[in-house]
Every structure is written in C-alpha cells, then in structure tokens.
Amino acid sequence: MIYMLDTADVNKIRRAYDLYPISGVTTNPTIISKEKSEFIKILKDIREVIGADTMLHVQALGIKAEDIIKEAEYLNKTIGGNLYIKIPVIPEGIKAMKLLKQRGVKITATAIFTADQALMAAMAGADYVAPYVNRIDNISGDGVGVVAEIRELFDIYGLDAKILAASFKNVQQVHNVALAGGHSVTVNPEIMDALLSHPLTDWSIDQFINDWGTVYGKDKLSSDVK
Ligand code: E4P
C-alpha cells in the first residue's frame, strides 16, 4: 500500500512526512485554495519539504486539451521533481493524456466515478487513476466497489496504471480499499493519524511507562539504568 497525503498545508505535510511512510502529496484546486497563498509558492514549499524524489500530484487547470497541455508543461518546468499532472477524465482531458504521454509527462487521471472512466484513462496513458471513494458513497454508490472493479479490469488487461484512491472521510473506507487491492490511497493528515490511533495502544503504552517508572524511575531509558 502506498500512502499519500491529500493536503497543501505545509506544516501538516512536514509533520506527517516526518512520522509516516508517505510516498507522495496530492492537491487539487480546492485544496490549494484553502491555503489562501500564492499558488506556485505553496507548491515550491511542499517540494522543499518532501524533496525532489517524492511524488507530488498537481492538477492542471483548463478544460481544453491545449490549455491542459500548456499547464502541464508550465508546472513541470516551474515545480519539477517527481511531478504528476492531474487531469480530469473529460474528453479533452483524455486527449491531453494521450498527447502528454508521448512527451513523457507523468499523469494522474482524476475526478473518476466509474471503472470505465479509469479504464479509458489508463488506455490513454495515465500512470495513476484517482477514484473519489467518498463522493461515490455520498450519491448512494459503492466507492470501494468501484475501486475493486478498476483493479479487476487493470489485472484482466495487464495494464500498468495504478489506482490512487481518493476522497476519504473515514478509516473504514481506507481499510476496505486496501483489502480491495487499491494500490495507493491519498488521505488528509487527520485520517493518516486516525489510521494508527487506537485507545488500547495508548492505554498499553501508559501502563508500560507507569510500571517501568515505578521501579526504574520516571522518564528513564534502559540505557540510563543498571
Ligand atoms: C484528490 O486529490 C481528490 O481531489 C480529493 O481526494 C477529493 O477529496 P474530497 O472529496 O474530500 O474533496
């Protein structure tokens, strides 16, 4: 399972990237807008925190293939590093994917709600496809089921494209996507913390610390005691 962080908050990225096995950061225009700061500066700050080798997925604006291509080239030139251009699965987006693939640009197909959209994006050259799990659930769909279908189709046709499941609102959705073979997930920092959190883990650690401290002294490490 590949974990990515779905945020443009540099401080939250710094903390989570330091703690967790995170392979990339994903953004979209809504996520970037929340930071209320200069667009390129936000991306450069993120790049500085995660380094050049870690994946950064940034969405191209525009709904015409020529605008999407212009955006992709501008972002690659300006941000650089291991950059994936997110492109929505609209007809002009699929055209842009085909053309950008020929130029060696890395592509994440986004705004995916059906397995057929994912399949066409993969055939057009997408490296990742991003189904929106919670948004599918919110319209009485089956977000995890869509992920499972995409995985089945990619396996049947031997496609190299990977799933980057997105739009999560709880840990159970992430858990079910992992079981469905979802390749990778992008989650906000709060869900990243929640994936690890368990009251009995905290309780057990408190008990270890108390029992140890009673005999060997509070805050002492094994290297401090005989
Ligand atoms: C990925 O980056 C998607 O754009 C994102 O996960 C959508 O999440 P939301 O449905 O919570 O807005």
Side-chain angles (χ1 to χ4, degrees):
M1 170 56 66
I2 290 175
Y3 294 109
M4 303 201 208
L5 271 183
D6 203 21
T7 180
D9 183 322
V10 176
N11 290 326
K12 289 184 177 177
I13 292 170
R14 187 177 289 109
R15 173 186 172 275
Y17 191 66
D18 182 47
L19 294 172
Y20 302 130
I22 287 165
S23 305
V25 170
T26 60
T27 66
N28 65 30
T30 304
I31 288 171
I32 294 271
S33 307
K34 283 185 190 151
E35 300 309 307
K36 304 209 183 320
S37 175
E38 197 210 324
F39 173 60
I40 291 298
K41 184 179 179 327
I42 295 170
L43 295 176
K44 285 188 171 171
D45 287 349
I46 295 172
R47 179 53 86 209
E48 200 180 315
V49 170
I50 64 178
D53 294 340
T54 302
M55 288 184 273
L56 177 57
H57 298 244
V58 180
Q59 193 157 331
L61 294 170
I63 50 169
K64 287 281 186 199
E66 65 205 60
D67 289 336
I68 294 169
I69 290 168
K70 203 166 118 191
E71 287 270 293
E73 287 175 345
Y74 170 71
L75 290 167
N76 258 314
K77 191 173 66 164
T78 317
I79 307 303
N82 193 2
L83 190 73
Y84 286 75
I85 305 298
K86 291 176 71 180
I87 301 175
V89 286
I90 54 176
E92 292 279 325
I94 297 292
K95 177 180 173 181
M97 288 179 209
K98 289 197 300 175
L99 296 170
L100 286 168
K101 185 67 181 178
Q102 288 165 11
R103 300 181 196 186
V105 173
K106 290 186 269 196
I107 298 159
T108 299
T110 194
I112 289 177
F113 289 81
T114 72
D116 296 289
Q117 292 175 324
L119 182 58
M120 197 185 295
M123 294 308 297
D127 300 281
Y128 280 98
V129 298
Y132 283 11
V133 175
N134 188 65
R135 292 193 198 190
I136 295 170
D137 288 352
N138 272 350
I139 52 165
S140 305
D142 176 7
V144 173
V146 170
V147 170
E149 282 185 3
I150 297 172
R151 178 65 202 249
E152 198 178 336
L153 286 170
F154 284 8
D155 288 350
I156 289 172
Y157 294 105
L159 298 173
D160 290 333
K162 297 275 181 279
I163 299 163
L164 171 52
S167 176
F168 290 101
K169 286 296 162 285
N170 61 62
V171 165
Q172 192 63 37
Q173 290 168 329
V174 180
H175 174 76
N176 291 337
V177 161
L179 283 174
H183 297 129
S184 60
V185 294
T186 184
V187 299
N188 66 39
E190 291 72 29
I191 290 184
M192 195 73 206
D193 286 335
L195 281 165
L196 197 62
S197 166
H198 197 288
L200 284 179
T201 301
D202 295 342
W203 181 85
S204 300
I205 298 303
D206 284 346
Q207 189 184 42
F208 293 146
I209 290 172
N210 284 336
D211 290 348
W212 173 267
T214 305
V215 176
Y216 297 105
K218 195 171 168 297
D219 298 330
K220 295 279 190 224
L221 300 176
S222 38
S223 55
D224 298 325
V225 298
K226 295 214 163 34

